[in-house]
Amino acid sequence: MRIRIDYETRYSYSRPARFIVQTLRVTPRSTESQQVREWRIETDVDTKLRRAEDSFGNIVHTLYTERPTEGLTVRVTGEVATTETGGVLRGVPERLSPRVYLRDSPLTHADDALRAFADRVGPGDDLTRLHRLMAMIHEEVAFMVGSTTADHTAADAFAQKKGVCQDHAQIFIACARRIGIPARYVSGHLHRTDGLEDQDAAHAWAEGWVPDLGWVGFDAANGIAPTEHYVRVASGLDALGATPFRGTSYGGGMETMTVALRVRQMQQLQQQQQGIGW
């Protein structure tokens, strides 16, 4: 499958910001399940971009301005060819031991309720237990846009039994670590099969470490393992380590951020351009 991604994030300030610094984790890496055919980052004001890799192996760009600006728009566009691998991740350089991903973090800390929930997963091999955990979360935690914010922890979302994909992923991670399985957060994009191309935000899921298989993806929000409809971008201990945009501005007063995201299959896009309807 060929997936086209158009991602625009705009920052507006109540008065000109003297200096803006942003860390961008928006560039995917080619793996066995995805080949990046084209990818670029553009801005509507003069900025500098420096590319590097973080300790988790993510491609990271640091963006900064050098003059006052009233607004900044970052446009990310690209095309990725994907294949089905049953959720198994291969072809990614791993700098860290899987045991690093047993480490607790504030967003994925398991409170008493999460620990009790994780203990219900029961016995079995690690792959079976992770699939069982994903099904349990999908069944018991409702997907509800607006029910949480980026600051909500796994325990917060689990307590109210609702959240968005970030919450489902962090609940999965907290519980997997509770039962002794390394797990990490993944940010990326999802080509929806219901035909909805315009989306409010990037997608998120989790990966668990399975002996003899390596890292395997689990999307508890949708109750499935990632397929060829998924584009993997970044990973970390929790959402903070894989968030697409994170930064600050100096001066500028109140900041407003808006996001526009479109994820399309290239075949559908070409037919739309030719005026052929479905």
Side-chain angles (χ1 to χ4, degrees):
M1 174 178 286
R2 292 169 60 196
I3 298 176
R4 170 80 179 188
I5 296 163
D6 297 281
Y7 194 2
E8 180 177 289
T9 302
R10 176 162 180 76
Y11 298 89
S12 300
Y13 304 94
S14 59
R15 58 179 182 270
R18 296 193 304 271
F19 190 69
I20 302 171
V21 180
Q22 290 285 337
T23 300
L24 279 55
R25 291 179 176 84
V26 295
T27 303
R29 182 186 295 276
S30 291
T31 68
E32 194 172 293
S33 60
Q34 63 183 36
Q35 291 295 315
V36 181
R37 300 283 184 85
E38 171 193 347
W39 203 265
R40 63 180 181 271
I41 302 171
E42 300 173 323
T43 62
D44 67 341
V45 297
D46 289 337
T47 58
K48 290 191 176 182
L49 275 175
R50 291 182 176 174
R51 173 170 167 153
E53 293 187 11
D54 65 15
S55 58
F56 298 108
N58 302 314
I59 298 173
V60 179
H61 288 85
T62 302
L63 176 154
Y64 60 93
T65 62
E66 296 183 316
R67 63 183 63 181
T69 178
E70 295 180 350
L72 168 65
T73 298
V74 182
R75 297 184 182 92
V76 181
T77 59
E79 178 187 334
V80 181
T82 62
T83 57
E84 172 65 64
T85 61
V88 179
L89 179 67
R90 297 191 180 95
V92 175
E94 298 288 350
R95 294 176 173 80
L96 303 173
S97 164
R99 294 186 61 83
V100 169
Y101 297 95
L102 287 169
R103 184 184 305 167
D104 199 9
S105 74
L107 288 176
T108 58
H109 177 71
D111 62 2
D112 290 343
L114 277 172
R115 289 194 291 270
F117 180 73
D119 291 345
R120 288 169 44 196
V121 171
D125 60 82
D126 286 352
L127 183 61
T128 298
R129 290 196 294 165
L130 289 173
H131 275 289
R132 190 180 299 145
L133 172 61
M134 176 178 67
M136 288 168 54
I137 297 170
H138 181 67
E139 180 179 351
E140 298 196 25
V141 182
F143 184 91
M144 185 175 296
V145 175
S147 59
T148 57
T149 69
D151 296 327
H152 278 72
T153 67
D156 293 334
F158 186 74
Q160 63 185 27
K161 295 294 192 296
K162 57 187 175 183
V164 294
C165 55
Q166 171 179 311
D167 304 300
H168 288 82
Q170 292 186 149
I171 291 170
F172 181 97
I173 292 165
C175 293
R177 291 173 183 165
R178 162 66 179 175
I179 60 177
I181 300 177
R184 64 189 182 189
Y185 186 97
V186 179
S187 64
H189 300 290
L190 171 62
H191 171 257
R192 295 178 53 147
T193 57
D194 60 4
L196 185 63
E197 297 178 346
D198 295 318
Q199 302 179 18
D200 295 326
H203 195 50
W205 59 97
E207 289 173 348
W209 177 262
V210 179
D212 300 325
L213 283 179
W215 290 106
V216 181
F218 298 89
D219 181 1
N222 288 301
I224 60 172
T227 66
E228 73 274 16
H229 292 270
Y230 288 67
V231 174
R232 184 185 189 277
V233 176
S235 64
L237 288 173
D238 54 28
L240 285 179
T243 186
F245 293 87
R246 189 179 182 190
T248 189
S249 62
Y250 298 88
M254 182 176 296
E255 177 187 272
T256 303
M257 184 182 76
T258 57
V259 174
L261 172 64
R262 176 169 289 184
V263 182
R264 295 173 284 179
Q265 185 177 357
M266 285 299 295
Q267 180 182 2
Q268 295 173 345
L269 175 59
Q270 290 164 356
Q271 289 182 336
Q272 290 169 2
Q273 291 171 341
Q274 294 168 2
I276 301 174
W278 281 89

